[in-house]
Amino acid sequence: MGYKLVRDSSMIIQTFCLLSWLIRTEGLEKYSIPVDTKHDALWSDCSAEVGVDHPKLLFSDVRSEPRVVTVGSGQTVYKTITYSPASPEAPPVDAIRATLTQRYHAFDRTWVTFIKVPGVDECSEHDGTATDAHGHVDGPLCPLAGGDSAELLSVHAPLNRWTPFGLYRSRQVYREGLHGEIIGCVDMQFLYCNTDQPVGSTTCQKKTNDPSSPLSSRTLH
């Protein structure tokens, strides 16, 4: 099951998981929030967090358009991946799998995982056939020789109207092949709000007149 299929069904799973979280709090995962108020994109290389000191995949120019996802806007995520093997004589990598994890920052306090998909074939997902609204081509990612880079993009349809407003994050852990070593990790955050927000915002502006309400920043429409 690829990410293109996952993103179409994720809103149903998301709603179920969030409702379940309201009923019981077992199994919550807590993560730090890397906040960069100087740049539009909130992202980090998470290789060290998954035990990789010298990643082979290096990430750059990770961004979301629009910067803040709003009702009906859709989203295109861009990133550049550079292959940096330990040896310059290493053969090109031609099989890359990724575990994709989506999380929601519930009540601006706790990260809740609402979907996790292992073993996504990234070479097939980014095979050089997709384009964005500007005509930019997605990849191809594979094969990727040492020192070479691939510019990737993922186009997402507008979110379901019942999707809660707030901060979301997407973590992708890459492996060489299905069961090979971890070769890279990238973690990106983005806001989903009713309207655009100032650069550096990590919460949506309040939507009710009661500032003490824990749900005031993500009223559903």
Side-chain angles (χ1 to χ4, degrees):
M1 178 171 55
Y3 188 45
K4 292 182 176 66
L5 175 62
V6 171
R7 67 190 179 211
D8 293 335
S9 60
S10 63
M11 291 307 102
I12 297 174
I13 301 173
Q14 179 181 161
T15 301
F16 171 80
C17 291
L18 290 175
L19 289 175
S20 299
W21 185 87
L22 292 173
I23 298 172
R24 60 180 186 176
T25 59
E26 292 90 342
L28 295 181
E29 298 179 79
K30 297 184 178 180
Y31 300 88
S32 60
I33 310 171
V35 177
D36 183 351
T37 58
K38 297 181 180 179
H39 301 88
D40 288 354
L42 298 176
W43 72 276
S44 64
D45 186 306
C46 47
S47 300
E49 298 178 29
V50 294
V52 179
D53 295 327
H54 303 287
K56 295 180 180 179
L57 296 185
L58 307 179
F59 300 89
S60 60
D61 195 24
V62 182
R63 67 190 192 278
S64 167
E65 291 186 7
R67 178 179 57 83
V68 175
V69 181
T70 56
V71 177
S73 72
Q75 180 190 33
T76 302
V77 176
Y78 299 87
K79 58 179 172 284
T80 297
I81 295 181
T82 300
Y83 183 46
S84 180
S87 170
E89 305 301 322
V93 61
D94 58 4
I96 300 176
R97 298 277 181 157
T99 295
L100 310 179
T101 304
Q102 304 289 325
R103 300 181 178 113
Y104 173 67
H105 202 222
F107 302 108
D108 302 327
R109 296 182 60 185
T110 303
W111 286 110
V112 180
T113 297
F114 60 86
I115 193 168
K116 186 172 184 177
V117 183
V120 176
D121 186 344
E122 289 293 299
C123 296
S124 296
E125 289 290 313
H126 303 283
D127 60 3
T129 60
T131 59
D132 66 2
H134 308 291
H136 299 142
V137 179
D138 175 29
L141 175 59
C142 303
L144 197 60
D148 286 352
S149 298
E151 297 180 356
L152 309 182
L153 61 89
S154 299
V155 179
H156 304 283
L159 295 175
N160 183 288
R161 67 187 299 267
W162 298 111
T163 302
F165 293 145
L167 188 63
Y168 290 80
R169 72 190 299 172
S170 173
R171 171 170 289 194
Q172 293 136 34
V173 179
Y174 295 81
R175 290 182 179 273
E176 187 168 356
L178 185 59
H179 302 293
E181 64 174 334
I182 297 176
I183 55 177
C185 178
V186 65
D187 194 313
M188 182 179 180
Q189 301 179 25
F190 70 90
L191 272 175
Y192 174 56
C193 301
N194 191 44
T195 58
D196 196 13
Q197 305 293 311
V199 173
S201 299
T202 56
T203 59
C204 300
Q205 294 179 358
K206 301 298 182 182
K207 300 300 177 184
T208 74
N209 294 325
D210 178 12
S212 65
S213 171
L215 292 176
S216 60
S217 64
R218 53 188 95 271
T219 302
L220 302 180
H221 295 276

